[in-house]
Amino acid sequence: MVSIKDIAKKAGVSISTVSYALNGSPKVTEETSSKILAVAKELNYVPNAAARTLKKRETKIIGAFLTDFDGAFYGQLLQGMKEVLNKKGYDLIVCSGSQSHRLLPERTIDGAIVLDASFSSEELLQYADRGHKLVVLDRELDHPNVNQVLLDNKAGATLAMEYLIEEGYRKIYVVTGPQGSFDSNQRLQAAKQTIERNQPLESDERDQSIEYIEIQGNFDKTGGEEAAQQIIKEYTEPVAVFCLNDEMAIGLYNVVKDSSYRIGEHIHVIGFDNMELSQFVQPRLATIDYSKRKWGALASEQLLKLITDEPVEHERIYVTLIKAGSVHPMQSM
Amino acid sequence: MVSIKDIAKKAGVSISTVSYALNGSPKVTEETSSKILAVAKELNYVPNAAARTLKKRETKIIGAFLTDFDGAFYGQLLQGMKEVLNKKGYDLIVCSGSQSHRLLPERTIDGAIVLDASFSSEELLQYADRGHKLVVLDRELDHPNVNQVLLDNKAGATLAMEYLIEEGYRKIYVVTGPQGSFDSNQRLQAAKQTIERNQPLESDERDQSIEYIEIQGNFDKTGGEEAAQQIIKEYTEPVAVFCLNDEMAIGLYNVVKDSSYRIGEHIHVIGFDNMELSQFVQPRLATIDYSKRKWGALASEQLLKLITDEPVEHERIYVTLIKAGSVHPMQSM
DNA sequence: TTGTAGGCGTTATCAG
DNA sequence: CTGATAACGCCTACAA
């Protein structure tokens, strides 16, 4: 391996001069500098990251941690992160699985963006205590070294539920995410509140009260499939279903497709995330949309601010409702 | 930051003893060892990757380089890589974009798996010459430090074309990938050969000769959309289309959907890759399937062999035909 | 303007 | 079995 020592020898200067020249320091003559650069090129010199890191205590690498690589979901998010980071001279690496957590405490990366259930909040706080900078996208975490960029889950869930209610549905299922999920909990809570807010006053007997049924899901297709089975079994009249993410809605579609019921006719469905697939299923899935690219970009910006000790405040990503054929107005009664 | 020096001081031993203990060397007493371990825990010691790497000249990290993060396509591939690597004590990081290429020559990673058009083959050969170990999934590259694990593109393209021909189509479009793409070229070449092999002898006038039309695509949805426009404009009778990947087939669907023609009735389509989306479009897309997980796993295995200087041979991933509603038998003439 | 030297945190060789 | 000590490749005062 060719090091600055080799360059120094070949160029007939000292290694410090080489280092200065390579780093564009004005302390070295134009002449010697260009000679050194030439020799470096000739020897195919590439600096050793480990040595530089050891000295400078930074790697210019940011890690994005995801629960799994499978999410057809993450492309734009990562793209948004990368664009911002690259512009600032940082590289993005994507990791998954608890084995890779070590990259943070071992200082292979300068900071992390976390959307990853394989991290416990305690673990993250430990890292933050050790001085590592973090941005979390999937939980609330209060620590000076941690910033959060969260979806506006409550607004989204409220929009979704109000849509179903406005369209006339009075029996509404909600299929949740896994137990500990922050996103699931927030969405669920807002959904419940929306139901309560829309419940008719006792005195007013003209309006039918809203029946609310919760089904435990998991944010995977399987969760939607199981929910579909239950819904079909219990079916008596047109119902609405709020799947707390699109993935489960797709699973639900798969099962309903093989039944005698139809999406958007008997079973009306809305999801959350607006993943790519959702626009291709038939009928198109109603859902809650937000800019994944912007989410990633903002997360990166916040992390860089944290790293450079600029002041930061928590950020929120806004969401919008996408109406579609999976939810048709209820027939007049 | 707490280093082995701090541990040594607190435990009242020398730093070399600490190092031995931490690395489980048998050269140190059970007693001192456990004391040292205790102190390390107490101080929350985590080894510094840069220092270790500088000394040992390895990071135990493998990089997977992808053309972009967007591919709804890569999940299983990466999963396959990760499982194998983790089992052997390596971590996987995923990178994209030419800026991240530096991780290889700077020795932040011990090797790379490349499915990334942003690398030129010359660049890869340079790295190989410098001693870096590579596995390529998207090109042929002959170098002792490079192994290739390629799809059996020719078999796949042949299966696809024979399927269309057997179903009776005599006018067949092929929508290619971008100019330089190795996969596209291989598939295209095999498609042409299949046509030729199936062209009736001149003497035999009962069989109609096969008309073959090539459309330049790009492996993106846009390529399929443009192809669809051309095909619709030229439409006179039922035709078959071989999109050299599923992504373009989906783009083609989008345009045909808004026309008066129907997929699987007027325009018959087959893709390549069997991406997740392909099973959800209506009608389901016929395509060429292969195990992405196995592809990734094999690539990792080969790379590890390269790193440990075991002998390796190039590998091939086998493919199968998936028939589906996007290709219906041609009406009898 | 250039060179000398010390140190970043580990590992590993060699004595004791 | 344990302890000095010299690297690994680079950066950066400080000295010349």
Side-chain angles (χ1 to χ4, degrees):
Chain A
M1 167 180 262
V2 29
S3 76
I4 55 172
K5 200 183 292 183
D6 302 308
I7 300 180
K9 198 177 302 171
K10 183 136 185 176
V13 296
S14 83
I15 61 167
S16 55
T17 306
V18 174
S19 178
Y20 287 133
L22 257 28
N23 292 308
S25 160
K27 314 178 67 176
V28 66
T29 323
E30 175 66 32
E31 188 187 10
T32 37
S33 179
S34 64
K35 191 217 298 198
I36 289 170
L37 273 293
V39 174
K41 234 108 260 168
E42 184 190 341
L43 296 184
N44 263 310
Y45 170 75
V46 175
N48 179 299
R52 182 162 17 85
T53 298
L54 186 56
K55 189 67 192 175
K56 311 220 343 177
R57 314 177 131 260
E58 66 171 14
T59 61
K60 292 285 183 182
I61 299 174
I62 299 298
F65 289 84
L66 304 178
T67 303
D68 56 59
F69 290 124
D70 263 38
F73 170 93
Y74 300 121
Q76 299 218 303
L77 184 74
L78 295 171
Q79 200 59 35
M81 293 181 195
K82 183 168 94 76
E83 282 163 13
V84 169
L85 293 175
N86 282 353
K87 207 167 296 174
K88 301 280 188 165
Y90 282 78
D91 274 304
L92 175 70
I93 67 175
V94 184
C95 314
S96 179
S98 54
Q99 192 165 144
S100 64
H101 294 190
R102 69 173 175 101
L103 300 182
L104 193 55
E106 292 184 357
R107 310 191 102 89
T108 297
I109 55 181
D110 291 346
I113 299 173
V114 176
L115 178 55
D116 185 347
S118 78
F119 280 95
S120 71
S121 291
E122 295 70 49
E123 184 183 1
L124 291 176
L125 284 173
Q126 272 185 25
Y127 296 142
D129 276 340
R130 293 170 144 270
H132 297 109
K133 313 292 182 157
L134 305 174
V135 170
V136 293
L137 308 186
D138 62 347
R139 69 194 78 202
E140 284 173 332
L141 219 51
D142 194 36
H143 192 288
N145 286 333
V146 182
N147 184 263
Q148 43 191 70
V149 181
L150 302 179
L151 291 179
D152 196 344
N153 284 311
K154 295 192 178 173
T158 304
L159 283 170
M161 291 299 287
E162 285 178 347
Y163 177 42
L164 298 179
I165 292 169
E166 279 167 17
E167 295 295 355
Y169 297 97
R170 290 296 174 272
K171 179 171 181 181
I172 300 180
Y173 288 90
V174 174
V175 187
T176 74
Q179 290 283 359
S181 161
F182 174 77
D183 286 325
S184 175
N185 291 344
Q186 279 207 320
R187 292 170 198 175
L188 181 60
Q189 193 190 336
K192 285 183 188 165
Q193 284 176 358
T194 309
I195 299 257
E196 279 169 29
R197 260 201 311 277
N198 285 276
Q199 216 59 276
L201 300 175
E202 294 182 24
S203 55
D204 188 349
E205 309 227 335
R206 285 166 309 176
D207 274 344
Q208 205 183 325
S209 74
I210 302 171
E211 184 181 357
Y212 162 81
I213 302 163
E214 190 175 317
I215 299 181
Q216 171 74 40
N218 57 9
F219 276 170
D220 278 345
K221 287 210 182 58
T222 57
E225 289 164 4
E226 288 168 20
Q229 284 156 4
Q230 174 178 339
I231 292 166
I232 288 170
K233 196 160 59 184
E234 298 174 359
Y235 190 88
T236 57
E237 61 182 331
V239 295
V241 185
F242 179 20
C243 288
L244 261 31
N245 76 356
D246 280 9
E247 185 90 13
M248 294 193 296
I250 301 298
L252 186 143
Y253 266 61
N254 287 343
V255 170
V256 171
K257 198 192 320 179
D258 297 332
S259 77
S260 54
Y261 300 111
R262 292 285 155 266
I263 301 285
E265 189 176 337
H266 311 99
I267 299 176
H268 300 258
V269 186
I270 187 168
F272 200 117
D273 281 344
N274 191 28
M275 40 184 257
E276 188 189 16
L277 184 48
S278 304
Q279 64 189 293
F280 291 105
V281 293
Q282 288 296 335
R284 197 226 187 281
L285 178 65
T287 189
I288 300 298
D289 185 37
Y290 50 87
S291 169
K292 288 144 202 83
R293 164 180 249 97
K294 191 169 166 187
W295 196 14
L298 196 50
S300 288
E301 286 168 10
Q302 297 294 91
L303 183 55
L304 293 181
K305 283 186 199 159
L306 230 34
I307 289 174
T308 55
D309 290 315
E310 291 171 59
V312 279
E313 294 189 3
H314 295 328
E315 292 280 352
R316 189 166 293 288
I317 299 294
Y318 296 101
V319 303
T320 57
L321 170 67
I322 293 187
K323 300 184 177 186
S326 65
V327 178
H328 266 185
M330 177 125 168
Q331 323 288 40
S332 64
M333 298 165 265
Chain B
M1 166 181 264
V2 31
S3 76
I4 54 172
K5 201 182 289 184
D6 303 306
I7 300 180
K9 199 178 300 173
K10 183 136 185 176
V13 296
S14 82
I15 64 166
S16 47
T17 306
V18 174
S19 178
Y20 285 132
L22 256 27
N23 292 306
S25 160
K27 313 179 69 176
V28 66
T29 323
E30 175 67 31
E31 190 186 9
T32 36
S33 178
S34 64
K35 191 217 296 198
I36 289 171
L37 273 292
V39 174
K41 235 109 260 168
E42 183 190 342
L43 296 185
N44 264 311
Y45 169 76
V46 176
N48 179 298
R52 182 162 16 85
T53 297
L54 186 57
K55 190 66 190 172
K56 309 222 343 175
R57 313 175 133 266
E58 65 170 17
T59 61
K60 292 283 182 183
I61 299 174
I62 299 298
F65 290 84
L66 305 178
T67 302
D68 57 60
F69 291 124
D70 262 40
F73 169 93
Y74 300 120
Q76 299 219 302
L77 185 74
L78 295 171
Q79 200 59 36
M81 293 180 195
K82 183 166 93 77
E83 282 163 12
V84 169
L85 293 175
N86 282 355
K87 208 167 294 173
K88 302 281 188 164
Y90 283 78
D91 274 304
L92 175 70
I93 67 175
V94 185
C95 314
S96 180
S98 54
Q99 193 166 142
S100 65
H101 294 191
R102 70 173 175 101
L103 299 183
L104 192 57
E106 292 185 356
R107 311 192 101 88
T108 297
I109 56 180
D110 291 346
I113 299 173
V114 176
L115 178 55
D116 185 347
S118 78
F119 281 96
S120 71
S121 292
E122 294 71 49
E123 184 183 2
L124 291 176
L125 284 174
Q126 272 185 25
Y127 296 142
D129 275 341
R130 294 170 143 271
H132 297 111
K133 313 293 182 152
L134 305 173
V135 170
V136 292
L137 308 187
D138 62 349
R139 70 194 79 201
E140 284 173 332
L141 219 52
D142 194 35
H143 191 288
N145 285 334
V146 181
N147 184 261
Q148 44 190 69
V149 180
L150 303 179
L151 291 180
D152 196 343
N153 284 310
K154 297 192 176 173
T158 303
L159 283 170
M161 291 299 288
E162 286 179 347
Y163 177 41
L164 298 179
I165 292 168
E166 278 167 19
E167 295 293 358
Y169 297 98
R170 290 295 174 271
K171 179 171 180 181
I172 301 181
Y173 289 89
V174 174
V175 187
T176 73
Q179 290 284 358
S181 160
F182 174 77
D183 286 326
S184 174
N185 292 343
Q186 279 207 320
R187 290 170 198 176
L188 180 60
Q189 192 189 338
K192 285 182 188 167
Q193 284 175 359
T194 308
I195 298 255
E196 280 169 28
R197 260 201 312 277
N198 285 276
Q199 215 59 278
L201 300 175
E202 294 181 24
S203 56
D204 188 348
E205 309 226 334
R206 287 164 309 177
D207 274 344
Q208 204 183 327
S209 74
I210 303 172
E211 184 180 359
Y212 162 83
I213 301 163
E214 192 175 316
I215 299 180
Q216 171 74 39
N218 57 8
F219 277 170
D220 278 347
K221 286 209 183 59
T222 58
E225 290 164 3
E226 288 168 21
Q229 284 157 2
Q230 173 177 340
I231 292 166
I232 287 170
K233 196 161 57 182
E234 299 173 358
Y235 190 89
T236 56
E237 61 182 331
V239 294
V241 186
F242 178 21
C243 288
L244 261 31
N245 76 357
D246 279 10
E247 186 91 12
M248 295 193 296
I250 301 298
L252 187 145
Y253 267 61
N254 287 344
V255 170
V256 171
K257 198 191 320 179
D258 297 333
S259 77
S260 55
Y261 300 110
R262 291 285 155 267
I263 300 283
E265 190 176 337
H266 310 99
I267 299 175
H268 300 259
V269 185
I270 186 168
F272 199 118
D273 281 345
N274 191 27
M275 41 183 257
E276 188 189 15
L277 186 47
S278 304
Q279 64 190 292
F280 289 105
V281 293
Q282 287 297 335
R284 197 227 187 280
L285 177 64
T287 190
I288 300 297
D289 185 38
Y290 50 87
S291 170
K292 289 143 202 82
R293 167 181 248 95
K294 190 168 165 188
W295 196 14
L298 196 50
S300 288
E301 285 169 9
Q302 298 294 91
L303 183 54
L304 293 182
K305 284 186 198 160
L306 230 34
I307 289 174
T308 54
D309 291 316
E310 290 172 59
V312 278
E313 294 188 4
H314 295 331
E315 292 280 352
R316 189 167 293 289
I317 299 294
Y318 296 102
V319 303
T320 57
L321 170 68
I322 293 187
K323 301 184 177 186
S326 65
V327 178
H328 267 184
M330 175 126 168
Q331 322 287 42
S332 63
M333 296 164 264

